[in-house]
């Protein structure tokens, strides 16, 4: 038998069961994520445990990045009696506004061990650069 130790998680689960509402296409649940800069890339890692790779959809329109995923119930045999069901099912979604300093044309995505990792390169125009200082002889004199 499993022991439950987090009363708030239990209340969330109970509310979800009573309302019958988990993530739907019109009201998706949020998915946890981390976002950080690593070298010349901006990295977004989204937790999607138990979601099949073909149930993940990634779109970019202008500077809006949208990730949607659906965790479907596992097929169960007729003789299976569920004792505890805490893993959320349904639709999950996350939308992020990408800064102009990111190159949305070159986003890459990998999915491993239930984690979707997006890598977005920093745009060339946003990278630090040196500005050379010219001397007086580099400037043309007017009217002289």
């Amino acid at each position: 038998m499993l022991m439950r130790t987090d009363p708030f998680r239990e209340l969330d689960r109970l509310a979800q069961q009573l309302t019958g509402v988990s993530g739907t296409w019109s009201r998706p649940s949020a998915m946890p994520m981390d976002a950080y800069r690593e070298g010349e890339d901006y990295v977004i890692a989204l937790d999607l445990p138990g979601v099949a790779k073909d149930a993940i959809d990634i779109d970019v329109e202008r500077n809006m990045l949208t990730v949607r995923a659906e965790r479907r119930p596992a097929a169960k045999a007729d003789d299976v009696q569920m004792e505890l069901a805490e893993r959320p099912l349904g639709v999950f979604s996350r939308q992020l506004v990408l800064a102009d300093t990111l190159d949305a044309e070159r986003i890459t995505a990998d999915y491993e061990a239930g984690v979707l990792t997006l890598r977005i390169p920093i745009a060339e125009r946003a990278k630090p650069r040196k500005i050379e200082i010219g001397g007086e002889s580099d400037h043309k004199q007017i009217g002289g």
Side-chain angles (χ1 to χ4, degrees), residues 23-132:
T24 64
W25 284 104
S26 60
R27 292 194 61 170
S29 299
M31 60 187 81
M33 72 170 224
D34 290 336
Y36 53 92
R37 184 169 176 172
E38 183 178 75
E40 298 297 317
D41 291 335
Y42 193 74
V43 181
I44 300 169
L46 299 141
D47 282 350
L48 294 170
V51 174
K53 184 177 175 180
D54 64 346
I56 301 171
D57 185 44
I58 306 166
D59 290 315
V60 177
E61 185 175 338
R62 296 185 189 216
N63 64 338
M64 180 67 72
L65 172 70
T66 304
V67 178
R68 284 186 175 265
E70 183 176 9
R71 184 177 346 187
R72 300 172 182 114
K76 302 267 190 284
D78 291 337
D79 62 344
V80 172
Q81 181 179 347
M82 186 63 82
E83 300 244 349
L84 180 64
E86 291 184 345
R87 297 173 49 211
L89 299 175
V91 180
F92 302 87
S93 179
R94 197 73 185 242
Q95 284 192 314
L96 302 165
V97 177
L98 302 178
D100 291 336
T101 57
L102 299 175
D103 188 349
E105 299 294 320
R106 299 186 321 153
I107 298 174
T108 61
D110 292 306
Y111 187 59
E112 186 176 334
V115 178
L116 175 66
T117 303
L118 304 173
R119 292 186 172 276
I120 310 168
I122 305 296
E124 286 299 319
R125 67 182 177 278
K127 293 180 182 175
R129 61 190 182 282
K130 292 283 187 188
I131 306 296
E132 292 187 31

Side-chain angles (χ1 to χ4, degrees), residues 128-140:
R129 61 190 182 282
K130 292 283 187 188
I131 306 296
E132 292 187 31
I133 301 172
E136 287 183 29
S137 62
D138 292 339
H139 297 288
K140 294 182 181 179

